[in-house]
Amino acid sequence: MDKEIKDLLKQQFNQNLTTNIETIEKVLDKSSDLVKRDFVIHGTSNLRAVCYFTDGLVDKLQVEHVLESLQYEFHKYLATSDGYVDFENSADSLNENLLYNSSVSTTKDLQKGIDAVLIGDALVIVDGLSEAIIIAARGYAMRSIAEPTNEQVVRGPRDGFVENLRTNTATLRRRIRDPLFRIDSVQIGKKTKTDVGIAYIKGLASDDLVEEVKARLSNIEIDGILESGYIEELISDGPWTPFPTIQSTERPDKAASSILEGRVVLLIDNTPFTLLMPVSFWQFLQASDDYYYNFYIGSFFRLIRYIAFVVSLTFPSIFVMLASFHQEMIPTPLALTIASGREVNPFPVLLEALLMEISFELMREAGLRMPKPIGSAVSIVGSLIIGQAAVQAGLISPFMVIVVALTGIASFAIPNYSSSFAIRLMRFPILIASGTLGLLGFTFTIGLLLIHLISLRSFGKPYFEPFAPYEPNEFKDMFIRSPWWSMKKQPSHVTQNTNRVGSNQMPSPPKKGEEDES
Amino acid sequence: MKITKFIVILIAVSLLTSCAGKREINDLAIVLAVGIDKGEKQKFKVTVEVVRASDARGQTGSPAGNAGDPMWIASAEGDSIFEAIRNISTYSSRRVFWAHNYVIVVNEELAEKEGIKDIIDFFTRNPELRMRTWIVATPDKAGEVVSTQTGLEVIPGEALSKLFRYNPISAVSPRTQIRDVHTAYLSESSDPIMARVKLQERVVPNKADGGGGGGEKPPGGEEKGKGEPSIKQIEMSGTTVFKKDKMVGTLSKKETRGLLPFIENVGTAIIPLTCPGKEKEKITVEVKKNKVEVLPFIKDNAPFYKINLSLTTNVVEANCDFDIDDRKMIDEIERNLEKKYKGYIKSALEKGQKEYKADIFELGKTFENKYPEKWKSFRENWDEKYAAAKFDINVKAEVQSGVLLYTPTQPGSRGK
């Protein structure tokens, strides 16, 4: 059966309408959403035609408009020679003269015609014509542009990507009007045939990079792409690493700035999450507000995020390590406070920390999965039971509650969810190593982690750049965000050094004398 | 496959160690002060003051609290310090943990008869002990000193430590750490000193039961039966001087004031002086800055030291009329102060050089630094050379300001 349909799809359109209809109906069977509209072209001797489209995917007004013009006007533009209809040239004539639609094409391949129907275009087949006409009439219900809820900013554009690829390309195009800005398109997924847009600025993004992205995409063999995560995992450089080597974002401004830095952005149909590549690890600690606010504010909050990164990765481990191995490293008054809190505690510090960390993750996950109206109940129960009762019952020391809470808050301050998740995940091996081997285990696991991170590549670019390999010039936009007038070059991480800001951009009051010139 | 092996090894490493060396913080007996006395039967008696964390901190949510004392005192004897400590652990349910020790108190009787060699060796050899622990000597029982609750701090060890940390205000005792004693002991010329503390009965005027600061009665606070309630306080009282490792004597608070400029940066000191021309009234100056220069020379094949001390002071209290513009009066105050400070230094030098024959002023070291060649011939018989050393003491005092007041505090002075 499958093979039969595959063979059918390889066919071309037949001049005989009935054969065509039979073939199409063999392939598509009788899907309830497939609409077949037979009609006769007026002014001819019963020239029959048929229009196929998928209900719900087309804009019906457009289809009706097309049908109307076909039924009543078509005969005027039928190319005739010797009193007979010249079917060879009719399709072109139709295209040029009659159809008001903005995007019309003809095809001979049955496969393409059926694809068009399934994608939301209308397919018109006229008896006697060996070509089918594809009329773009896509129009389906979709979510309107809204602010991305996962990457909120205080200052910055409020629009986000949506599930529709075309809308997304438009949002990007509205930001970058450069003629060299390219959005190439490929289809991935044997069954889903998902459209993927490859957006980059030609000349700015290195050709090698664009080629590499395209090559990796063309290697994908999968039945379906439902979210950009599929693609991310299929083309990333480190298949085993928990750290994201491709950044995903819902923010068009973030995507646009990546494109301007010479990166490649993948826009995937049916998901608002676009993929940016290549990335360095430090990008996950940068938020778009950093660039919109005054650079002091941007730098300060960026530093806070670096602290959050260190805290969320190591704080519980350091506490466990100090409290169970290296008590001499704690200042005496603090050591006494910790000891007094742990006086009646039945668990070893490591177990206590693991219990609390896991229950914290549990609460987070439960709060996420619960229906929204009940979600707040989780936090109330969680904070009351864990925070209050467990401490009063002497099960958990108050210090551990503070440590875990601080760690949790710090992990929420990391702007990128997938990297925040990676960091939260890495916390557990470090915690176990510190709790069993003390400082030795802590340094060992941190060392392993660093080795792993430094060995990672993102589309061939070192993941830890500019830290390793050390690129002093890139530090202008790493721990701090330098003022725009001082960041003259593009980051060399992805593209060759090209100027981004003109020279002498630092604003200053006009000198005396020059004032009068204008 | 490689990764699986790697992960298996990692898990094995962390699990098979069975948390070697792990000791939970609440399983430790954290020592905050240790006292070393002469034992009755054996050589040493070591008394440790272990903090009971939950009582010291009054942790909410820890039901073990409210049992009373914030500390637990344990003592045991032994022929060596380590043996005594091991004897403590025969009845201590928790592991004795030394890293947070604030202070080592040494009994003077022990220091005089047995010397402090064993103490220096033990407290610098053990990796769990810090080199920056305070070390003090006391004429009282060291065990009593470490177990005396002063009332202000919850834990006595902390009280002693803070006494030293904020010591520059009073400047009556040196701030000696085990490191300093160790250095001086190892040095070929210098001799060690220790701060001296003693227990002093202090009358508590407003208390009938002799209680300290808190509601509970501290163990040190005992009524003498004479009507006046009093509480024992640990207070600083000068310096204990050693020759090699044996204690040879003490310096009083005033003599210590003469010693301090040689060995450390003194903070402030309060010096009451008689008012110029009015013997009964007092004017008090506070030394804000002092700068000392010890310049060694060789005279008659013996060391000769020129000691230049310059003091910057403020008048902080004037019972007589004091006007900052009165140059003559200020000059006189300065002369008085110079005389007084010269006296301090002289008496300290007198005691150290003549009476105890101990180089506690680091004079040998100063000499060596300036004349390294000459030192080679001096080092053999430094004790004799030191005894023959001569001094020229110059003190230069300056009254800088009258703090907030310029004019005398006297009726009718406003509106002039």
Side-chain angles (χ1 to χ4, degrees):
Chain A
M1 185 70 186
D2 266 1
K3 196 162 181 298
E4 196 188 332
I5 288 178
K6 262 181 198 162
D7 289 338
L8 284 177
L9 283 173
K10 280 176 194 156
Q11 288 185 8
Q12 298 215 320
F13 281 106
N14 200 294
Q15 280 197 324
N16 188 333
L17 180 65
T18 326
T19 324
N20 279 338
I21 291 174
E22 271 172 17
T23 326
I24 288 177
E25 284 186 351
K26 251 185 206 161
V27 175
L28 294 178
D29 212 348
K30 278 196 179 95
S31 283
S32 59
D33 59 343
L34 184 74
V35 177
K36 178 189 167 204
R37 172 76 168 81
D38 293 295
F39 60 96
V40 174
I41 293 171
H42 288 232
T44 60
S45 49
N46 272 353
L47 186 59
R48 287 193 304 130
V50 67
C51 174
Y52 279 105
F53 59 89
T54 310
D55 197 14
L57 289 184
V58 292
D59 181 358
K60 276 194 180 154
L61 277 175
Q62 274 197 56
V63 174
E64 277 161 14
H65 184 72
V66 167
L67 287 181
E68 188 187 349
S69 57
L70 275 173
Q71 280 182 337
Y72 294 110
E73 317 275 330
F74 191 23
H75 64 277
K76 292 180 195 165
Y77 300 102
L78 274 175
T80 50
S81 58
D82 311 336
Y84 293 99
V85 177
D86 178 5
F87 288 109
E88 283 297 305
N89 297 317
S90 281
D92 291 336
S93 157
L94 203 69
N95 221 339
E96 284 160 16
N97 300 317
L98 180 63
L99 295 172
Y100 308 137
N101 198 282
S102 56
S103 166
V104 174
S105 60
T106 57
T107 181
K108 281 184 175 168
D109 297 332
L110 188 70
Q111 167 96 54
K112 276 189 185 165
I114 285 178
D115 278 356
V117 172
L118 294 178
I119 223 164
D121 290 338
L123 181 74
V124 175
I125 312 168
V126 182
D127 197 13
L129 255 66
S130 61
E131 284 171 298
I133 307 156
I134 297 169
I135 300 153
R138 290 181 213 183
Y140 42 84
M142 57 159 197
R143 192 167 64 97
S144 62
I145 293 181
E147 187 176 5
T149 43
N150 290 347
E151 292 165 89
Q152 303 233 340
V153 292
V154 178
R155 177 172 175 176
R158 296 263 178 254
D159 57 345
F161 285 126
V162 290
E163 283 76 3
N164 184 349
L165 176 66
R166 228 1 106 217
T167 320
N168 291 349
T169 55
T171 7
L172 278 184
R173 185 69 80 172
R174 269 174 49 76
R175 286 178 164 79
I176 306 169
R177 290 178 192 167
D178 194 86
L180 289 173
F181 176 43
R182 300 270 186 275
I183 302 176
D184 299 347
S185 177
V186 289
Q187 272 192 349
I188 302 174
K190 278 184 214 144
K191 297 259 187 282
T192 58
K193 300 206 166 73
T194 311
D195 284 318
V196 175
I198 308 165
Y200 60 95
I201 293 179
K202 200 172 161 61
L204 192 59
S206 73
D207 294 341
D208 291 347
L209 175 65
V210 177
E211 284 313 307
E212 179 65 30
V213 172
K214 283 183 180 166
R216 288 192 194 184
L217 285 178
S218 66
N219 276 341
I220 295 178
E221 274 181 41
I222 192 170
D223 60 342
I225 301 287
L226 296 181
E227 216 280 327
S228 50
Y230 288 47
I231 294 182
E232 188 180 336
E233 253 175 46
L234 287 167
I235 64 171
S236 100
D237 288 57
W240 287 106
T241 179
F243 291 93
T245 51
I246 293 171
Q247 189 177 6
S248 63
T249 183
E250 274 187 273
R251 297 195 60 84
D253 54 333
K254 222 173 195 171
S257 89
S258 270
I259 291 171
L260 290 175
E261 284 177 352
R263 294 179 220 277
V264 174
V265 170
L266 292 188
L267 302 147
I268 292 107
D269 204 7
N270 293 323
T271 174
F273 288 93
T274 56
L275 301 177
L276 321 179
M277 63 211 68
V279 288
S280 83
F281 176 76
W282 310 107
Q283 256 174 284
F284 295 110
L285 296 173
Q286 301 171 357
S288 13
D289 311 43
D290 291 358
Y291 297 97
Y292 304 150
Y293 277 120
N294 179 307
F295 60 92
Y296 288 119
I297 303 172
S299 305
F300 175 72
F301 286 108
R302 190 171 281 184
L303 284 175
I304 293 280
R305 260 175 260 128
Y306 278 90
I307 295 171
F309 160 59
V310 174
V311 165
S312 71
L313 188 65
T314 61
F315 197 42
S317 322
I318 289 177
F319 177 71
V320 166
M321 172 186 92
L322 290 183
S324 54
F325 286 92
H326 312 289
Q327 294 87 358
E328 65 275 2
M329 282 166 73
I330 317 173
T332 310
L334 182 62
L336 294 184
T337 310
I338 294 173
S340 79
R342 290 196 45 79
E343 195 65 45
V344 291
N345 214 312
F347 305 119
V349 191
L350 173 63
L351 188 61
E352 194 188 358
L354 279 176
L355 276 177
M356 286 299 286
E357 283 292 347
I358 287 171
S359 57
F360 170 75
E361 294 297 328
L362 198 70
M363 270 186 277
R364 190 199 54 79
E365 185 67 14
L368 187 69
R369 301 290 161 223
M370 296 270 276
K372 245 184 197 159
I374 321 172
S376 60
V378 175
S379 54
I380 293 168
V381 170
S383 62
L384 271 182
I385 289 184
I386 307 299
Q388 196 77 27
V391 170
Q392 275 185 354
L395 281 176
I396 303 291
S397 75
F399 217 85
M400 185 58 78
V401 176
I402 296 169
V403 166
V404 171
L406 200 63
T407 314
I409 290 170
S411 75
F412 291 143
I414 294 165
N416 186 288
Y417 187 74
S418 51
S419 73
S420 137
F421 183 75
I423 291 165
R424 283 220 303 273
L425 197 65
M426 291 322 289
R427 196 156 73 199
F428 288 97
I430 299 176
L431 184 61
I432 291 169
S434 317
T436 50
L437 295 165
L439 185 59
L440 178 73
F442 179 77
T443 34
F444 180 69
T445 34
I446 291 281
L448 274 186
L449 191 68
L450 279 176
I451 291 171
H452 171 67
L453 281 172
I454 288 170
S455 71
L456 275 182
R457 295 283 181 277
S458 172
F459 280 80
K461 303 291 178 192
Y463 193 48
F464 236 44
E465 196 171 335
F467 193 67
Y470 182 65
E471 295 282 352
N473 290 334
E474 301 302 311
F475 278 83
K476 274 187 173 177
D477 191 14
M478 189 180 153
F479 292 118
I480 57 159
R481 199 276 285 176
S482 305
W484 275 113
W485 39 260
S486 77
M487 290 196 282
K488 297 214 163 66
K489 303 266 185 201
Q490 297 279 14
S492 64
H493 179 54
V494 271
T495 180
Q496 291 313 307
N497 271 359
T498 45
N499 286 337
R500 130 152 96 181
V501 180
S503 53
N504 297 327
Q505 287 298 297
M506 190 171 120
S508 58
K511 284 179 191 138
K512 271 188 184 166
E514 285 177 16
E515 239 170 326
D516 308 326
E517 278 178 32
S518 61
Chain B
M1 200 54 217
K2 235 172 143 186
I3 285 178
T4 327
K5 269 185 196 165
F6 186 67
I7 290 171
V8 166
I9 288 172
L10 269 190
I11 293 173
V13 162
S14 49
L15 292 186
L16 293 181
T17 54
S18 68
C19 308
K22 183 171 84 79
R23 36 173 209 223
E24 302 283 328
I25 192 165
N26 46 324
D27 292 338
L28 298 176
I30 299 171
V31 175
L32 289 192
V34 56
I36 300 163
D37 286 300
K38 206 168 146 34
E40 281 160 28
K41 289 177 192 142
Q42 286 165 301
K43 195 173 170 188
F44 295 107
K45 181 185 177 198
V46 174
T47 311
V48 291
E49 177 209 309
V50 173
V51 63
R52 301 182 64 226
S54 53
D55 289 304
R57 282 291 182 267
Q59 184 61 59
T60 57
S62 94
N66 313 322
D69 284 349
M71 60 187 178
W72 180 71
I73 307 291
S75 66
E77 292 191 8
D79 281 326
S80 71
I81 297 173
F82 206 64
E83 194 200 341
I85 289 166
R86 272 294 135 87
N87 286 340
I88 290 175
S89 51
T90 55
Y91 67 97
S92 160
S93 58
R94 297 185 179 185
R95 187 185 174 284
V96 178
F97 187 66
W98 289 90
H100 286 293
N101 189 15
Y102 275 127
V103 61
I104 303 159
V105 183
V106 183
N107 177 253
E108 281 187 352
E109 194 192 336
L110 175 81
E112 205 167 355
K113 292 200 176 123
E114 308 283 347
I116 53 167
K117 190 164 163 268
D118 298 356
I119 297 173
I120 293 173
D121 180 83
F122 174 75
F123 283 97
T124 52
R125 189 186 293 276
N126 194 326
E128 210 172 83
L129 291 153
R130 291 169 194 250
M131 289 296 271
R132 302 196 56 175
T133 313
W134 304 113
I135 182 162
V136 301
T138 177
D140 301 293
K141 283 280 168 210
E144 201 180 326
V145 171
V146 297
S147 52
T148 301
Q149 245 179 321
T150 59
L152 192 54
E153 298 298 333
V154 181
I155 310 147
E158 209 176 348
L160 258 171
S161 163
K162 283 188 179 164
L163 200 58
F164 280 100
R165 207 171 305 160
Y166 306 120
N167 153 286
I169 293 171
S170 53
V172 291
S173 282
R175 312 166 76 190
T176 43
Q177 296 175 337
I178 182 81
R179 188 183 52 174
D180 306 326
V181 173
H182 185 230
T183 315
Y185 177 67
L186 294 184
S187 148
E188 52 188 356
S189 60
S190 303
D191 286 303
I193 48 168
M194 275 188 208
R196 188 165 189 259
V197 298
K198 62 182 178 192
L199 287 171
Q200 183 80 39
E201 295 273 346
R202 291 281 178 189
V203 171
V204 185
N206 202 18
K207 286 272 180 189
D209 60 349
E216 287 164 41
K217 189 179 167 179
E222 53 192 51
E223 265 185 79
K224 283 225 149 184
K226 284 177 190 171
E228 287 280 21
S230 67
I231 179 172
K232 272 188 183 171
Q233 293 285 354
I234 305 165
E235 68 174 42
M236 293 192 174
S237 61
T239 314
T240 305
V241 181
F242 291 79
K243 177 76 187 166
K244 302 295 174 205
D245 75 319
K246 294 266 190 327
M247 175 190 156
V248 286
T250 59
L251 295 184
S252 70
K253 288 180 189 176
K254 280 184 181 168
E255 288 155 355
T256 303
R257 201 162 271 176
L259 162 73
L260 285 180
F262 288 94
I263 52 169
E264 65 187 56
N265 205 354
V266 189
T268 62
I270 302 294
I271 318 281
L273 301 164
T274 51
C275 274
K278 290 173 185 162
E279 291 302 317
K280 277 184 187 164
E281 289 173 0
K282 289 277 181 194
I283 187 155
T284 311
V285 297
E286 182 185 18
V287 178
K288 291 303 269 185
K289 268 188 250 170
N290 63 44
K291 208 179 145 212
V292 71
E293 261 183 331
V294 181
L295 300 168
F297 298 96
I298 305 164
K299 217 175 199 179
D300 308 328
N301 202 28
F304 173 79
Y305 290 92
K306 213 174 171 153
I307 296 154
N308 296 327
L309 177 68
S310 63
L311 304 164
T312 311
T313 60
N314 288 342
V315 170
V316 289
E317 187 181 338
N319 298 351
C320 49
D321 298 345
F322 170 73
D323 192 333
I324 193 72
D325 294 328
D326 188 350
R327 199 61 240 173
K328 214 176 118 195
M329 187 172 180
I330 285 175
D331 277 346
E332 203 157 327
I333 295 171
E334 284 172 352
R335 293 299 84 72
N336 274 345
L337 187 63
E338 282 164 12
K339 220 169 96 191
K340 200 144 195 174
Y341 243 91
K342 208 168 171 177
Y344 291 154
I345 294 177
K346 232 176 193 162
S347 61
L349 281 171
E350 193 92 343
K351 273 236 168 128
Q353 188 196 14
K354 296 275 154 31
E355 198 178 329
Y356 304 138
K357 297 186 173 38
D359 180 10
I360 52 178
F361 308 96
E362 296 179 352
L363 291 172
K365 205 164 94 187
T366 326
F367 188 86
E368 184 188 354
N369 287 347
K370 194 172 174 195
Y371 300 106
E373 281 301 313
K374 193 77 186 166
W375 174 252
K376 281 175 189 164
S377 64
F378 272 34
R379 62 153 44 120
E380 291 301 317
N381 46 0
W382 171 245
D383 280 355
E384 292 161 33
K385 295 285 182 194
Y386 172 59
K390 294 271 186 299
F391 301 95
D392 176 18
I393 305 161
N394 297 305
V395 182
K396 173 113 187 53
E398 187 200 349
V399 173
Q400 202 179 30
S401 80
V403 197
L404 290 182
L405 299 180
Y406 301 121
T407 50
T409 314
Q410 56 175 204
S413 64
R414 170 155 296 181
K416 267 184 191 173

